[in-house]
Amino acid sequence: MSETATITIDGNSYEYPVISGTEGEKAIDVRKLRADSGYITYDDGYGNTGSCLSDITFINGEVGILRHRGIPIEELAGQASFLGTAFLVIYGHLPSQEEYVHFSQQVAGNAAMPDDFRHHFNGFPSDAHPMAVLSAMLNAAGCCHSEMTSNDREQDMEHFDQAAALLISKVRTIAAMSYRMSQGLPFVAPRLDAPYVDDFLHMMFSTEEKDYEPTPEIAKAMDLFFLLHADHEQNCSTSTVRMVASGGANLFASVSAGVSALWGPLHGGANTAVVKMLQSIHDSGDDGSQFIEDAKTGKARLMGFGHRVYKNYDPRAKILGGAAEEILNSLGHDDPLLDIARHLEKAALEDEYFVKRKLYPNVDFYSGLILKAVGIPVEMFTVMFAIGRMPGWIANWREIATGSSRIHRPRQVYTGKVDQHFVPVEER
Ligand SMILES: CC(C)(COP(=O)(O)OP(=O)(O)OC[C@H]1O[C@@H](n2cnc3c(N)ncnc32)[C@H](O)[C@@H]1OP(=O)(O)O)[C@@H](O)C(=O)NCCC(=O)NCCS
């Protein structure tokens, strides 16, 4: 017999099916609760609410597991590339040799922006935040492809493969253009023969005199960074993408909303906040000990620590911690911020305040140090996260577009005034 759960309200009992995920996760299907009882559930921050059934990514935060399409992140980080992982996340299987070549070529072939598109950048002040530019420009990029942005599900899906490759490619070009714009530098055309990461760094850092060629260590570290951000289940920005998509909006509009959601310091902005935090600890002459005390009394927040889902080590943080060390060694950099990070990590992992609340390093704790070592400016850190997360947003949009999802429309509990009446202005 299939499992059920009984909810008793005001002396009446209602029985609801229990849904099991393939990893044994359980959920009570309360879709009929309001119709049956007049009650809704209240779950601020959605910590207990499953908003969808999804095949893409599995996380077990209690033990620190992350798998894409069933494959552990540690295996992907050791053996796959960012583009291979992107394909896996979007299409559900590892690409064959042929599929990989085709996908990579499609991505490379879409790197250039149309000439007239460049004029859009003139409308932004040079100090515009690159996340604002990215969100606006991704939506604008859709304007050049009306066949992919019809908001007609069938038509948008007919062009899905092209749109997916185009977005994975253009997000990187737009990111580089926004950086060049902020520096008052001319745009650099993509090199269609270069691998994904090399081309991105070329568009960021090449000068008229010299083409930028990353060292193999830098290319590997950036590829790993993007790979580790490829998808992460129903986080704030991915849920936003699904929310927008559930209304029928096209892929470009949906991922552009995802970028806006990612911008905040509690989500994608945390990598920027970590490096700023480490720098200010360094500048104040503290080795991290005072900062830990401030975090415990609520005077400060230890950025890059804690996670809504992980109550154990974020597996991505473990991988990136090792990678940060490797890249700094390869560059011969002795970054004092890495020492402070290591000290903070050690102190926090031993401190009762953090242990009791199960606060462990998350993906952002070390990622900023890698980006800093590569030479990515701090203002661009969250943009780097967006480039990495693009495959996850696309995969989640596709799941909505090809599934039978209803429009996302949560309920609320109204707590405002009642029985008010209009008062003419002269009587107020
Ligand atoms: C990620 C984050 C937003 C998760 O928030 P959450 O699930 O709502 O957890 P809460 O804010 O309810 O935290 C639970 C407790 O731990 C404390 N806490 C959580 N993160 C903390 C941190 N980074 N430093 C110090 N204390 C922290 C809270 O103050 C709270 O303490 P209390 O029970 O005494 O009130 C939060 O941990 C955070 O702000 N971390 C820093 C930002 C960051 O790194 N974000 C990137 C996430 S990938």
Side-chain angles (χ1 to χ4, degrees):
M1 223 178 74
S2 50
E3 204 181 337
T4 59
T6 305
I7 299 178
T8 304
I9 310 169
D10 288 342
N12 296 314
S13 290
Y14 307 95
E15 201 162 89
Y16 295 104
V18 169
I19 304 177
S20 296
T22 48
E23 291 276 0
E25 288 184 300
K26 303 271 189 189
I28 305 167
D29 179 351
V30 292
R31 278 177 293 176
K32 295 212 172 83
L33 177 66
R34 185 168 178 277
D36 289 348
S37 66
Y39 281 70
I40 59 168
T41 56
Y42 172 62
D43 185 18
D44 184 22
Y46 309 128
N48 302 280
T49 299
S51 62
C52 59
L53 304 179
S54 179
D55 295 348
I56 305 167
T57 290
F58 171 73
I59 299 175
N60 181 336
E62 271 67 39
V63 285
I65 289 176
L66 168 62
R67 296 186 195 125
H68 296 315
R69 306 287 188 177
I71 303 178
I73 193 67
E74 293 80 3
E75 287 181 27
L76 292 168
Q79 296 169 71
S81 66
F82 169 62
L83 282 189
T85 305
F87 186 99
L88 168 76
V89 165
I90 295 171
Y91 293 106
H93 63 274
L94 288 169
S96 66
Q97 189 100 29
E98 271 170 24
E99 283 172 326
Y100 186 76
V101 169
H102 178 67
F103 184 61
S104 308
Q105 283 174 347
Q106 254 191 322
V107 169
N110 272 299
M113 298 308 278
D115 274 348
D116 51 356
F117 193 86
R118 293 163 180 243
H119 302 309
H120 288 294
F121 282 88
N122 299 335
F124 292 105
S126 60
D127 61 352
H129 195 286
M131 285 297 275
V133 176
L134 185 65
S135 176
M137 285 305 182
L138 284 171
N139 226 337
C143 301
C144 308
H145 298 277
S146 57
E147 75 288 2
M148 301 180 196
T149 52
S150 65
N151 290 349
D152 172 294
R153 268 286 126 84
E154 227 168 272
Q155 194 183 325
D156 286 350
M157 275 314 292
E158 264 171 41
H159 298 277
F160 174 78
D161 293 350
Q162 277 164 283
L166 187 149
L167 277 165
I168 288 175
S169 193
K170 296 247 192 285
V171 66
R172 152 193 77 150
T173 311
I174 295 170
M177 288 172 95
S178 72
Y179 169 65
R180 308 280 303 192
M181 179 195 88
S182 72
Q183 300 299 301
L185 297 169
F187 298 139
V188 175
R191 273 183 40 199
L192 302 187
D193 59 332
Y196 187 85
V197 162
D198 299 45
D199 195 16
F200 169 62
L201 295 172
H202 156 72
M203 288 190 278
M204 286 281 290
F205 298 130
S206 284
T207 60
E208 269 173 35
E209 296 77 41
K210 198 164 182 288
D211 264 1
Y212 178 92
E213 291 275 358
T215 63
E217 290 83 8
I218 286 183
K220 186 176 153 211
M222 279 309 292
D223 198 75
L224 180 69
F225 171 90
F226 290 143
L227 183 157
L228 290 174
H229 287 79
D231 189 41
H232 209 237
E233 213 228 48
Q234 301 313 312
N235 54 83
C236 173
S237 57
T238 302
S239 305
T240 300
V241 169
R242 288 186 84 113
M243 171 77 84
V244 176
S246 79
N250 66 71
L251 181 57
F252 290 74
S254 303
V255 299
S256 156
V259 170
S260 298
L262 186 70
W263 192 353
L266 297 187
H267 188 16
N271 54 16
T272 312
V274 170
V275 168
K276 285 188 175 160
M277 173 188 79
L278 295 174
Q279 191 63 55
S280 82
I281 292 174
H282 180 254
D283 294 347
S284 72
D286 179 19
D287 66 352
S289 311
Q290 182 56 45
F291 195 86
I292 291 276
E293 292 310 311
D294 290 348
K296 283 158 60 178
T297 52
K299 271 197 239 156
R301 184 150 277 234
L302 183 50
M303 300 311 287
F305 252 71
H307 199 274
R308 172 59 60 78
V309 176
Y310 291 115
K311 301 303 168 199
N312 202 317
Y313 236 103
D314 178 338
R316 302 167 302 169
K318 259 191 202 156
I319 300 168
L320 281 175
E325 200 110 36
E326 241 177 66
I327 178 92
L328 287 166
N329 285 342
S330 87
L331 295 171
H333 284 192
D334 191 13
D335 191 339
L337 301 195
L338 181 63
D339 297 335
I340 293 175
R342 289 284 185 217
H343 182 239
L344 281 176
E345 179 184 355
K346 188 164 180 296
L349 292 178
E350 287 166 358
D351 194 293
E352 202 211 327
Y353 173 94
F354 294 89
V355 173
K356 204 170 123 208
R357 290 169 180 75
K358 300 189 174 156
L359 300 170
Y360 290 87
N362 62 47
V363 69
D364 296 307
F365 195 64
Y366 287 108
S367 62
L369 291 177
I370 293 182
L371 296 177
K372 188 167 166 274
V374 170
I376 307 288
V378 175
E379 315 75 67
M380 291 292 289
F381 282 10
T382 313
V383 173
M384 298 302 109
F385 191 152
I387 297 174
R389 185 51 54 84
M390 186 57 76
W393 291 336
I394 293 172
N396 277 273
W397 182 91
R398 183 177 188 247
E399 216 170 54
I400 291 271
T402 54
S404 60
S405 169
R406 302 173 75 199
I407 186 166
H408 288 199
R409 201 307 186 183
R411 293 262 172 187
Q412 63 166 22
V413 178
Y414 176 69
T415 58
K417 292 177 182 174
V418 296
D419 278 342
Q420 298 292 298
H421 295 286
F422 179 78
V423 179
V425 69
E426 58 278 9
E427 290 173 31
R428 282 174 219 165

